[in-house]
Structures are given as structure tokens and as C-alpha cells.
Amino acid sequence: MSSSRLNQETLARLASTARHSPLRGHAFGTGILHLGIGAFHRAHQAIFTQAAMAARPGDWGILGVSLRSPGVRDILAAQDHLYSVTTLAPGHQATQVVSVVKDVLYAPEDPSRVVAALADPAIKIVTLTITEKGYGQDPASGRRRRDDAAMGKDLDLSQAPRTALGFLLRGLLQRRQSAAGPITLLSCDNLPENGRVLAGLLREICAEAAQDLLPWLAEAVTCPSSMVDGIVPAATPASLRQAESYLGLRDEAAIVCEDFRQWVIEDNFAAERPAWEAAGAEIVSDVRPYETMKLRLLNGSHSALAYLGALGGYETIAETMADPRYKAFATRLMRTEAGPAISLPAGTDLLTYSQSLIRRFCNPALAHRTRQIAMDGSQKLPQRLLASLYGQLPSDRPMPCTLLAVAAWMYYVGGRDETGGSFKVHDPLAARFAALHAAAKGNTAAVVAAFLGVSEVFGPPARQPGALAGRLTESLTALRRDGARACVGRLADFPGSGP
Ligand code: CS2
């Protein structure tokens, strides 16, 4: 099949299996700058914004910024910034063309344009999806990572910025200078209290590089926290072909994802905002219970399934969940280990929430690769799995599923699968993990001891639960001896989680 490319002209030929609700043509202004315009933003915040503008028109077009590669900019430029989102589930298909993105900049090509845009009075909100590692935060101390060379260089204001925070610092300096007005910086990454993290890091780098900005920062900039949810697998040639079959047009930026989207935002805006609540977003005074629930239950079990699934030879989460042992394991992890330790938001109950997660993970229409979720584990483990473990182990609660998941991560970042084959580990600390494995020379207790010394992930030894080393050694020993499928199978006796 070879169709025409999606753009303003071909839009008229959209197949009947797709829809586009135009937003006052192009006659709306840009009010949002988004840092990190990857698939997740396009399938989540952009859709909320498109729907909010359909309900209540406003100047909320999006200026996307790519920090790392020109790919999205080039593809969207060739499509008049149109792209599609297809949601799929058993018995459900919906494809919509999104037209809320007005332009995309590739930051390294012209950093000063990005800085100028941040100081543009029309921009009222900066949203961010820069991944956990994009913040350059040391999760154990909450401070900026001193070994983050790019961030270190970005403190020299005579140089062009490279990092998201470096851009924000310069943009905010220029904004204050030109009296362009208050601005909201809205983090949409999977970090606990992501707004507080962003505000803290900004204050820290201001104190180092531009101390005189601090009072204005306190007065004119807010950083609400937000919980974002929506499973968005990376595109593949097959997903692009699938989208093409619904659109009748070729869309190189097409996204195929699940039919679920949630956004809970702290009501802490410095200036105007789109009517996101008209699109189903929840604006609340305290996001923390939503974040904790989502990070520990969804992301925690996602990471567990990713490491144990990949080690067990499964390519995708749906394939992993089709093995009843893994499905029961995930249910047990949520219901007996991660769930009981937290307070859920009012009106939410653990059974309903965990059942909906299990259903979402089972969605056979999504090719969400275990290896995609397995990336950057050093940045994800603390808030997803270790928080549950650290809260529960001291009170002697058995946490076999969580322990097995952490052991599987240690195994996985050794870069060898169960058949001895090697693969590339994507993690900012990958080289260090490879060295730890090599130095331990196959001794399981030595591997565990060495990993527990990585304080960026596990915190200082004094804060680690006493039982941790022994329990992890037992889990890793079993994994190495019996393999992931068998170990998961032994924990899969959870009632009510059968196929
Ligand atoms: C996933 C998340 O890649 C990952 O680490 O756990 O991207 C997950 O799909 C989303 O947070 C779901 O909202």
C-alpha cells in the first residue's frame, strides 16, 4: 500500500475510519511551549488540549521543542504539523487527526529561538515530557546530579544551553527582563511530586548561576505537579501501516495507543490555561495520592513485568500477560504488596483500579515492548518498586513479587538473557552496572552487595532495610537457577486472577 502523505491538502481525502474536527482552521495563537515532543506528549497532553479547545476556543496552539533529535520536527513539518492518534482495544478502534501543534523547533539547531519563545508573552505554559533522567536529579538526595556534565556546562550562561533546565533558566531570565509576565511550568513526567522536583532543581541552578532571578521565580513562576497516564508504545513499521489503513493516508508520526487517558493536575497556575477539565482532566488541590497510586501500581508492575517478561523471553507486555502466571503475579504485586501500603485517592478502590490495570496490560492490540519499559531502570526503580519495599520490609511484610522484580532488574542490566545471549542495556548507569557484574564474577551475593552500593538508586546504606541484601540474594539466586518464568510461576497462586 502506498498512500499520499497526510497534510492540509490531503486531509479532504481522509478515510471514513478516521475523523478530524478542525479547530478554527489555523486562526488560533500559540500559548503552550512543550519540551520533549515525543509520542507520549502527542498522544496525551496534545489530545487534551485539542479537546479543550474544541470545547472552549482559545490561543492554546502548541510549539513543540525537540531537545535530542530533529526527527519529529522534520516529519511534522512535511505534514503541516498534522498527525494522527489511533486508539485500539478489543472491539474498539478510533482514529483522529490532531491539529493543535503549530510548529516544532529542534533546539540544538537554534537554541536562541527556543529561549526567545520561552520569553514570548503569548506563551503562558511550558509543559515537559523529558523523561525521568532529563531532570538530572539524584533521586536519593533530590538535588541536581553533580556528574551531569551537560547540566554543569549549562550553568555557564555565556554558552548555548543543551538541557531542558538550561533552556528554562535562560528563557526565564529573558522573560523577567522583558516583563513578559508570569508562566506555569507543568511537568508531565513519571516522577513523584514532579512539580516540586522541577521547582527545586530550578531554584538550585538559579542559586548557582543567576541568584538575582530567585525573587522573580518565586513571584511569577509556578510548577504544578501532575499525574499523567496513557500507554503509548513506540511506533513501529507495523503500527505506521496499521494507522495508514485507518487514515487512507500515510502518517509518519502516527501513534497507535490504548483507549485510556488520565491527567490529574494540581491547581497551581501562574496565568491562564486551556479548559483541560472540559476534556476530562482533573484539576485538584493535591495530586500526591494519584501520583503514588499510579507510580506504584501501574508503573511498578509495568517495570516488574518488563524485566521478568524480557528475561522470560517475552517481547511485549500483552504477550507477557497472556501467560497466566505473569497475570497472577502482577495482580498479586498490586493487591498484596504495592496497594496496601498506600492511601488511594478518595473514591478509588484498589480492586477496581488494579483490575483496570490488568485489563489495560492485557490489551492485545498494543505492541508495547518489554525492552522499551525496561529502559532507564536506574531512574525508575526508586519511585516504582523500592518505595514499596522500603516502606514494608522493616515491618516484616513478605514482599516476594517486588523483591523478584528488583532482582530481575539487577539480572537484566547485566546485559545477558537466560540463554546467555547479550543485548544492549539502555540506562545512564549502564557502564557502571556492566562493571559491577564483571567484578562480582558470577557470585550472586557479591552482585547484590555491589548494586546496593549504588546509592543513586538504593539510597545510602543506613537508609536501606536490614533484610534487603539477604532477600534480594535469595530472589536473584532463584532467578539464575530456575529462570524468570518458573520464579514468577511460584508466586502466581493469587486467587481470582486466572485467565
Ligand atoms: C512505562 C510508562 O515506559 C515506561 O516506563 O511504564 O511509560 C507507562 O506506559 C506510562 O506511564 C503509562 O501511563
Side-chain angles (χ1 to χ4, degrees):
M1 181 171 29
S2 167
S3 343
S4 314
R5 189 87 177 259
L6 170 68
N7 59 37
Q8 285 293 345
E9 205 184 303
T10 57
L11 202 48
R13 304 208 297 268
L14 203 60
S16 59
T17 34
R19 68 185 167 88
H20 175 236
S21 316
L23 293 168
R24 289 199 278 142
H26 274 304
F28 56 90
T30 300
I32 299 175
L33 182 149
H34 182 78
L35 290 174
I37 182 159
F40 185 72
H41 171 71
R42 303 202 309 278
H44 188 276
Q45 302 101 64
I47 297 271
F48 276 98
T49 306
Q50 170 106 10
M53 282 172 67
R56 219 174 303 157
D59 291 324
W60 296 114
I62 297 172
L63 169 63
V65 175
S66 286
L67 294 162
R68 286 199 312 250
S69 110
V72 175
R73 189 271 315 265
D74 294 344
I75 289 173
L76 287 183
Q79 298 184 178
D80 298 325
H81 300 102
L82 298 174
Y83 66 91
S84 63
V85 174
T86 296
T87 56
L88 292 177
H92 162 91
Q93 173 266 324
T95 301
Q96 70 165 310
V97 173
V98 183
S99 51
V100 72
V101 175
K102 301 267 291 186
D103 201 2
V104 179
L105 302 177
Y106 172 46
E109 211 165 74
D110 195 352
S112 59
R113 262 186 85 185
V114 177
V115 174
L118 288 164
D120 179 346
I123 298 288
K124 309 280 189 215
I125 298 176
V126 177
T127 46
L128 299 93
T129 50
I130 54 174
T131 78
E132 294 87 342
K133 65 174 179 259
Y135 292 79
Q137 186 208 25
D138 170 7
S141 67
R143 315 265 306 177
R144 89 172 170 85
R145 275 178 50 194
R146 295 281 148 179
D147 60 347
D148 185 330
M151 187 66 249
K153 289 197 183 122
D154 272 5
L155 296 182
D156 174 357
L157 295 176
S158 67
Q159 302 292 314
R162 277 159 259 233
T163 64
L165 271 99
F167 275 101
L168 287 175
L169 178 61
R170 284 158 184 78
L172 294 175
L173 276 164
Q174 199 161 310
R175 196 172 179 95
R176 179 201 49 178
Q177 200 173 16
S178 56
I183 190 163
T184 304
L185 311 180
L186 178 53
S187 168
C188 303
D189 284 293
N190 284 319
L191 285 168
E193 298 190 73
N194 48 17
R196 198 187 47 79
V197 167
L198 178 60
L201 290 168
L202 260 179
R203 273 197 303 274
E204 191 178 340
I205 62 170
C206 265
E208 287 180 66
Q211 201 158 15
D212 63 323
L213 184 64
L214 281 167
W216 186 82
L217 195 66
E219 185 188 301
V221 181
T222 62
C223 299
S225 287
S226 86
M227 179 273 246
V228 290
D229 190 6
I231 294 179
V232 183
T236 61
S239 72
L240 295 182
R241 279 197 301 276
Q242 205 172 17
E244 185 175 351
S245 73
Y246 298 125
L247 287 163
L249 295 168
R250 181 76 185 167
D251 173 8
E252 298 293 345
I255 292 160
V256 174
C257 61
E258 68 170 339
D259 175 36
F260 177 94
R261 206 172 283 125
Q262 189 180 12
W263 197 8
V264 187
I265 312 170
E266 183 189 355
D267 191 2
N268 179 22
F269 285 81
E272 304 96 291
R273 62 168 174 82
W276 282 318
E277 68 280 18
E282 295 152 78
I283 313 286
V284 303
S285 59
D286 187 3
V287 180
R288 285 172 300 183
Y290 296 90
E291 280 177 335
T292 309
M293 171 180 78
K294 195 254 168 174
L295 286 167
R296 306 252 190 120
L297 292 168
L298 189 158
N299 297 113
S301 51
H302 230 191
S303 288
L305 290 166
Y307 298 117
L308 288 160
L311 290 176
Y314 291 123
E315 189 72 26
T316 66
I317 291 293
E319 230 177 79
T320 309
M321 290 294 282
D323 179 334
R325 293 170 295 185
Y326 280 77
K327 187 174 168 194
F329 168 89
T331 307
R332 177 168 172 178
L333 172 63
M334 292 181 208
R335 298 256 294 278
T336 70
E337 299 187 18
I342 59 173
S343 313
L344 297 175
T348 314
D349 75 273
L350 181 57
L351 181 62
T352 315
Y353 187 70
S354 57
Q355 281 172 338
S356 84
L357 294 181
I358 295 291
R359 218 173 20 252
R360 291 169 63 195
F361 290 170
C362 288
N363 186 344
L366 300 185
H368 200 190
R369 295 179 58 246
T370 47
R371 290 187 190 278
Q372 181 188 340
I373 301 160
M375 280 167 40
D376 293 346
S378 66
Q379 314 291 306
K380 296 174 174 174
L381 241 59
Q383 61 274 21
R384 295 182 177 204
L385 292 166
L386 299 179
S388 300
L389 213 49
Y390 284 28
Q392 305 272 67
L393 274 187
S395 55
D396 247 7
R397 282 186 82 105
M399 299 286 283
C401 300
T402 314
L403 285 161
L404 188 66
V406 176
W409 168 75
M410 288 179 175
Y411 190 141
Y412 183 90
V413 297
R416 293 213 171 268
D417 62 26
E418 289 182 0
T419 60
S422 64
F423 58 87
K424 186 169 163 49
V425 175
H426 295 273
D427 193 291
L429 303 185
R432 195 153 143 212
F433 295 152
L436 294 183
H437 269 281
K441 298 197 172 75
N443 179 314
T444 305
V447 170
V448 171
F451 271 83
L452 293 184
V454 181
S455 59
E456 296 94 312
V457 178
F458 289 96
R463 291 225 309 264
Q464 297 174 10
L468 192 59
R471 302 268 181 87
L472 282 172
T473 305
E474 284 164 24
S475 301
L476 187 54
T477 303
L479 262 181
R480 285 181 144 169
R481 189 187 55 222
D482 306 328
R485 292 188 191 198
C487 288
V488 166
R490 279 203 287 272
L491 297 174
D493 56 357
F494 195 71
S497 56

